[in-house]
Structures are given as C-alpha cells and as structure tokens.
Amino acid sequence: MAHEGIGAPVRRVEDDKFLRGLGQFVADITLPGELHCVLVRSPHAHAKILRIDSTAVARPSVVDVFTGADMATDGIGPMAPLWAIKSGDGKPMAEPPRWALARGAVRHVGEAVAAVIAESATAAREAADLVQVDYEALPAVVDATAAMRGDAPLLHQAAPGNVCFRFARGDEGAVRKAFAGAPHMVRLDLVNNRLIGAAIEPRAVVADGSTAEKLTLYCATQVPHLIRRTVSEQLNLPQSAIRLIAPDVGGGFGYKGKHYPEETIVAWVARRLRRPVKWIATRSECFASDNQGRDHQTHAELALDAEGHFLALRVDTIANLGAYISTFGAAIPSAIYSALLAGVYRTPAIAITSTGVFTNTLPTDAYRGAGRPEACYVLERLADEAAHLLKLDRAEIRRRNLIPADAMPYKTPIGPVYDCGDFPKILARLLDIADYRGFAKRRQSAERAGKLRGFGFACYVESSGVAPSRFAAALGARIGFFEAATIRVQPDGSVQALLGTHNHGQGHATTFAQILSSRLGVPIARVEVIEGDTDRVPFGSGTFGSRSIAVGGSALDRAAAKIIDKGKRIAAHLLEASAADMTFGGGVFSVAGTDRGMTLREVARAAYVPASFPADMELGLHDSAVYDPPSFAWSNGAHACEAEIDRETGEVRVLGYWGVDDVGTVINPMIVDGQIQGGVAQGLGQALREHCVYDDSGQLLSGSFMDYALPRAADMPPVVSELDESQPCTHNPLGAKGCGEAGSIGAPAAVVSAVLEALRPLGVTDIQLPLTPERVWRVLHGAKPGA
Ligand code: MCN
C-alpha cells in the first residue's frame, strides 16, 4: 500500500466533487412545499420600533409576516452568549437580552425586525419592501472609546456607560514595580482594524418543520451540535427533536461558528407553519448581518532593562463588542486574547485590562485568529519599537527575549503553560530562508530605483486546539470544548469515522482518513469521514480555534486504539493465542514472535459473526472516544515579508513572504501549506486592504465588495512555507498542533514591521492598520493619517 498515512502529501479527496460542481450546499437543498423567508432589517443603527404594519403585504403568495411580538407570545428565549466574562472586581458582565427578531428597539443597521414568509423568494422579497416599520431614530455611537463617554447614547439599560465588562488579568503590582525601576520604556497606541468575513457561500438556513416529531435544520455552520443546542433551548424543544445538518459549507472563517438570529427565526417559523422554510442571505445581507472581527484600540507599554530585556508589559484594550454579545464575543478580547500576551517572550510581569464596550455596530466575535492576531500585533509592534529605541537590530532584541527551548515547559506570568517549542530555532531559520542578511543590499538597489523597501517579521504563539474545558470554564465558558469520534469498521474492513468537527474547506475528509490509514492500516479510499449531522454523529463541539486535528484527531486516535484493542482480542481468540501476545501494525494483527496473523479485514468479518469471537464479547468492531485537551496545543512560528512602497501612490507591494511554523506532527504537508497560504492571504488583507467602516450615524460604509477590499490573487506574493516538526505537542496522542489560523496571526504584524522599516528613514514611526495606499501616501507626505 502506498504511504497515505500521517505525513503524506496526498491530494484532498473531497475536491473532486467540488471541482465538478457536485457539492451540496444549503441553497441546493429544495424540499417539497418549501416556503421562503426574507427578513426586514433595520435601516437605523439605533431606534425605537413604534409600529410594524404589514397590512400592505396581504396577497395570496404571502403566507405570513412575523415580528418579535409573535416570538414573545410563543415564549421564544433570548440568544444567550456561551461565554460570560467577569470584570476584574468579580462582577459578572452586563448581559442584556438579544432577541432573534427585535423587540421594542434596534441597535444596529441590519438587525432583523420582521420575517416575511412567502411561497417564492421573489414574493417574499417584494412583500418585505411593503412592510411598514415606524421607527423613532435615536442617536448612535460606533466608536468604542466614544461609547464610554458620559454623553454617549446608551444602548442597554443593563450596561451603564455601555460597558459590558472590565476584564483584568495578570499582576498589576509586579508590573508597576518593574516599570518604576526600568531604564527604558516604549509605549504605543494601536488600532486593530475591524474586519468582515467573506466566505464564498453566504450564511443559509433551511428548516423542515413539516412533522411534529422532528425539526430538521440545514445550516451553513461550523458548529452543528452547538446550534442544535442553542436552538433547542430557545424553542424549548428537546435536543433529540432537532436534527441539524451542516452539509457542504463554502468557508466559515470563524464567523460561521456562532449562533445567529436567522437559525432561530427559520426553525421557529417552520415549526409554527409545519412547512419547510428557506432563508439564504444575499451578499449585501452578509455585510449587514454577519458577525465582524477584531476592532481593538490598545494602549500598550513595555519596560526594558539597559540591554533590551523585557521587564514588564502593560496592555489596556478597549474592545468593540458591537450592539450585542455574540456567542463567544465576550471571550475573544478577554480570556483568549489575554492568554497570548506572553507570546514567545520571557516577560516576567504582565498585566492587562480589556474593556468590552457596546456600540451601534454589528456584533464582533471570532474571525480567523480570534484574539491571537491582536495579541501578536501588540507584542511585535512593541518589540520593533524597543529595538529602535535601544538601537538594536530587530532580530537581536527578539533573540535576547525569546523563551529558550530548554525552559520548556514554561509557565507564562499570564497563566498558560507552554509544553514545548523552540522559538529561537524557528526565528533563526526564518531569517535564513528569507535572507535577512542580504536585505541591506536589496534595499540599496531599491533606493536607486526610487523605491522604499522594508523587511519585516513577527513571531507568534497560538493557543490552538481550543480548548481545555477546565481552563475555559475557569474563565467563564458555559460549555465544554471536548471532541468526540466514533469509528465503525464494517464487516468488509472498510471504515467510517464520525466526528463532531466540521469541514468547510480544511480538508478533513483527507486528513482524518490519513490518521486512520496510519493507525489501522487501511487505504484512505476505504475510509469515509462523516461530519456535520447531529443524528449521525452522536456528540461534538465543532470546528473553530484550529482545534480539529489537535482535539478531534486525538479523539479519533483514541477510538482507533479501542478498535485495535478489541481486534487483538478477536484475533487472539481465533489464533488461539493470548491477547497480551498480539501486536498490530500495517493493518495486520500478529502473534508476537510467530508468522501467524490476521488482517484487519479478516478480523472485522469475524467481529460480526458471533461464533467467531468469545461469548462474553459484544458483536462488532466499532467504538467511540471523547477527548478534552489538558492544555492548548501551542503552535508557533515566525513570519517575514519584504515590501516595497511606491512613493507616488503609497501602494505597498509585498514582494515575498516566508513562514516557518511549528504545528507539531504534520498530518498532510500539502494541506498545511494551503492552510498557511490561506491564512497569510487573510492576514495581508487585514494589513493592507480590509477595513470595516461605519459613519458616525452607524451606517456601514464598507457594505459591499466595492467598498470593502478583499485581497485579490494579484496581491499575493510568493509564499514560502517551511514546517518544523521537531517539537510535537507533548500532551495529545498525535503530537499535532493546529495550523488553520497561523498565517492570519503572523502576517499583519510582519507587514506593518516591513512597511514601518521602509518608512523609518523618512522619520515615520507610526501608522495604523490597514496600510491602504491613501494612508501610506498621507504619512509619506506628512499629512494627518486619514480615518
Ligand atoms: N493539519 C495537519 N497537520 C497539522 C495540523 C493541521 O495536516 N499538524 C490539517 C488538519 O488535518 C486539517 C487542516 O490542516 O485538515 C486544518 O487543521 P486545524 O489547524 O486543526 O484547523 P481546523 O480544521 O480546526 O480548522 C479551523 C481553522 C480556523 S479556526 C479557521 S477560522 C479557518 C481555517 O481553519 N477557516 C477556514 N482554515 C480554513 N480553511 C478554509 N478553506 N476555509 C475556512 O473557512
């Protein structure tokens, strides 16, 4: 059998159907008698709803129009966040209710106010235009700092000053002491720009409520079991009465891993009308209703000794949560972000405060990277600034502060313990492959051609494998983050693997099959990976936080161990040997020290014939396992890029990009390479192009791809990605660490580092994300940076 197992760069088995247009996405699901749902959305960022009048809508093709009042009558519960953060003084976060259909007021443009249900999508759209909503417009606030001012409009009575929480972590006393005695200090004010996710497939929900017994939901989501749970709680239905199918999903990027109002609305309407109901977001609707990402304003200070050793870090972040707390919206800028503030560095004292603030904007939540790019950006900007202050090379100041491999396991002063990693080696290798030494020469020749050239780099550590449930619970998580896997070896030796994770572009059908190929010795063509169906997959948490391999893969590995164990007992029985003498490898059970053995296929056949196995054994070769990680899997790496700036236009061109990443044991290097490249594309997007902008009244100005600039193929430099497998994760059975977010974490910091390096000779020391041509041009020409 060709090597297809762990480590083999096999092509993705799932791509065939996608390349031939045979994927089955939610919009492809058409049920007999289905109705269509179009949502009437608020044009105001903040308003009281005075009256909703749907009399003009009456026509045969329109079935009904529902409002928040109807949902209230039916006792539909609020959209509860699944992570609750406490303030530094122990106070629980302010948790104002969020209703799937607005009740009494709207707090962001695009908030759903009424659901129009009609026999066709066109009829529903036309009718939605005829629903009359009388609003009393209220003043709005979109900037988080402005929202905390005394005269700012108040969004929720339950959140005075629009503050949701004032999270604090670390040892402020130790930090204060270190700063008092430090000879050097750098301080920066940083903006981490708000981003809008843009998967190829818009969000979509189809609900079949035709029968009383079972509500089937088809949903473009990353987290099938989680959505089943939240919808069941809101509709007060047993979870077993809901089947949630997340079929092929065209990208998720974190923002499809959250519970949205439309899931509740469509499920509730379908049950109420006893008909299938379909809602497919238009692209404009995505801009007005999908969660957004990042949006931090941070003041950060780093204290250093005379040699450039970091002594203490203080971070004060104001995080814009939007109008409501999304599923994990409160955790991202607090629990998750703060855990990364040691980064790859030995900083003895760290303290952070992070204030979550309500504004009249869409809710923010996880978006590829989710708190980690923000932390990396703070640290790397400070490191560059410190190097500049102390006249040290940027690589040298990092070398002096990196946590050495022999310090592992390393307990950071902010809480987490890194189990392994060789950060100095990774950085050294990066600088080699990117030819950092040769940069000065390349810069000179660029200067001769009238160009400004910069080399930048960033080191990162990532809490992949989200999440150790005990750690998460201690910081306010209301759910566990385990993963579950079931393996069924069929009587012919073919294998089905059922996992609670979800594949929306990451290649799970291939990599999970590769794990089983290694563990069970089966060809990957004989492994079927099943995800995304709560009636087939018993339990699960879903895919987010680069967890599928580290957590789901570990559950699968454990289940495989149980299969092997049972297979040994069956083979021992048939070969008249002791189970203790059986070995397993390459798909064959053997009696140690003899040439007697049986293949997995033979054992599987026997497992379903009771006469072939001991009487006290249960029939079949199938088993399940769950895995809850004891810690995060600490992926890490260093990324570099070289960029050139056009003085005339301010355009930044990234000429080359390099990454050296430690994602532990690599299951499929080709897939990991693709994941890194995809992440880098999104990181470059954040650094150079993407910017979600609201005007002061809360209207989304970047509400289409004409205004919100995604990176295009031509913006992508060649990406050289190298993987270092020398530091496998020590606490999961695969040794694997996640890779899905790596590129989006390192890239923004690396790009800004390069651009500032290019601009420093002109006296420019600061620029805020994103580095659009206009911003760079303004900085170059000494004008005030634009909004
Ligand atoms: N892998 C591997 N060896 C490793 C680590 C991972 O071969 N050491 C493989 C895995 O088996 C899997 C892929 O790489 O096929 C990504 O694995 P992992 O890092 O565990 O991440 P997840 O599968 O949990 O995916 C989530 C992650 C996140 S959080 C976002 S956001 C994201 C991403 O992955 N969204 C994506 N990558 C994406 N890729 C696509 N195409 N579309 C998205 O929406």
Side-chain angles (χ1 to χ4, degrees), residues 245-405:
I245 299 173
D248 291 327
V249 172
F253 307 112
Y255 76 88
K256 279 193 197 154
K258 311 295 165 295
H259 177 37
Y260 282 95
E262 293 81 3
E263 291 144 3
T264 309
I265 297 167
V266 176
W268 168 69
V269 172
R271 258 189 89 74
R272 204 171 141 133
L273 299 178
R274 289 278 182 269
R275 296 268 298 268
V277 178
K278 186 181 227 171
W279 170 78
I280 311 290
T282 63
R283 184 57 71 179
S284 306
E285 217 175 353
C286 295
F287 279 95
S289 68
D290 292 349
N291 283 339
Q292 300 175 342
R294 323 271 197 261
D295 203 345
H296 285 198
Q297 299 171 27
T298 295
H299 178 77
E301 299 177 345
L302 181 69
L304 300 110
D305 72 11
E307 281 79 45
H309 296 114
F310 301 172
L311 298 176
L313 170 71
R314 181 183 287 128
V315 175
D316 184 10
T317 291
I318 295 171
N320 193 334
L321 301 180
Y324 301 100
I325 312 167
S326 170
T327 314
F328 298 125
I332 306 300
S334 53
I336 304 290
Y337 165 63
S338 63
L340 271 300
L341 283 173
V344 290
Y345 304 115
R346 268 186 303 192
T347 311
I350 301 177
I352 173 184
T353 54
S354 178
T355 309
V357 181
F358 293 112
T359 66
N360 296 107
T361 61
L362 275 150
T364 54
D365 204 319
Y367 175 68
R368 201 172 194 169
R372 288 81 133 239
E374 295 91 315
C376 172
Y377 187 61
V378 169
L379 291 171
E380 295 306 290
R381 284 289 310 267
L382 286 170
D384 275 6
E385 203 53 34
H388 193 65
L389 176 77
L390 290 158
K391 301 197 172 22
L392 284 172
D393 180 88
R394 288 172 296 157
E396 179 53 28
I397 199 161
R398 285 171 170 82
R399 269 184 224 115
R400 289 184 191 181
N401 288 286
L402 287 172
I403 301 162

Side-chain angles (χ1 to χ4, degrees), residues 431-570:
L431 297 177
D432 265 0
I433 64 170
D435 189 18
Y436 182 44
R437 258 178 243 106
F439 169 65
K441 261 207 183 126
R442 295 194 296 277
R443 181 181 218 167
Q444 279 165 12
S445 36
E447 270 165 10
R448 283 196 291 276
K451 301 267 187 188
L452 297 163
R453 196 166 174 129
F455 183 98
F457 47 93
C459 302
Y460 76 90
V461 63
E462 177 195 351
S463 48
S464 82
V466 169
S469 293
R470 278 168 219 284
F471 163 89
L475 287 171
R478 290 171 166 163
I479 56 168
F481 290 98
F482 66 92
E483 203 44 84
T486 296
I487 298 175
R488 285 193 208 127
V489 184
Q490 304 290 357
D492 68 351
S494 64
V495 176
Q496 286 180 316
L498 299 99
L499 291 112
T501 45
H502 189 267
N503 190 11
H504 37 278
Q506 296 89 342
H508 291 180
T510 310
T511 45
F512 287 136
Q514 288 185 263
I515 292 173
L516 291 184
S517 176
S518 278
R519 293 297 185 255
L520 300 180
V522 278
I524 59 173
R526 287 177 66 79
V527 180
E528 184 193 9
V529 175
I530 298 164
E531 298 175 299
D533 183 342
T534 58
D535 266 14
R536 297 181 78 191
V537 179
F539 304 102
S541 297
T543 281
F544 47 89
S546 298
R547 68 190 303 273
S548 300
I549 209 64
V551 189
S554 296
L556 190 66
D557 187 88
R558 275 194 176 174
K562 291 184 181 178
I563 296 286
I564 293 167
D565 189 53
K566 184 166 183 188
K568 279 183 182 172
R569 284 185 285 135
I570 295 171

Side-chain angles (χ1 to χ4, degrees), residues 25-80:
F25 298 88
V26 173
D28 295 320
I29 291 156
T30 302
L31 301 174
E34 75 183 8
L35 296 169
H36 296 262
C37 170
V38 167
L39 294 165
V40 177
R41 295 185 180 278
S42 169
H44 296 284
H46 198 190
K48 270 191 201 150
I49 302 172
L50 302 178
R51 195 173 67 105
I52 302 173
D53 180 0
S54 51
T55 42
V57 167
R59 58 195 62 200
S61 57
V62 178
V63 175
D64 216 330
V65 177
F66 296 106
T67 66
D70 300 312
M71 291 189 103
T73 307
D74 277 6
I76 305 303
M79 314 256 315

Side-chain angles (χ1 to χ4, degrees), residues 710-725:
L710 284 184
R712 292 151 298 184
D715 295 324
M716 281 298 286
V719 176
V720 177
S721 160
E722 206 173 275
L723 301 173
D724 183 316
E725 288 191 77

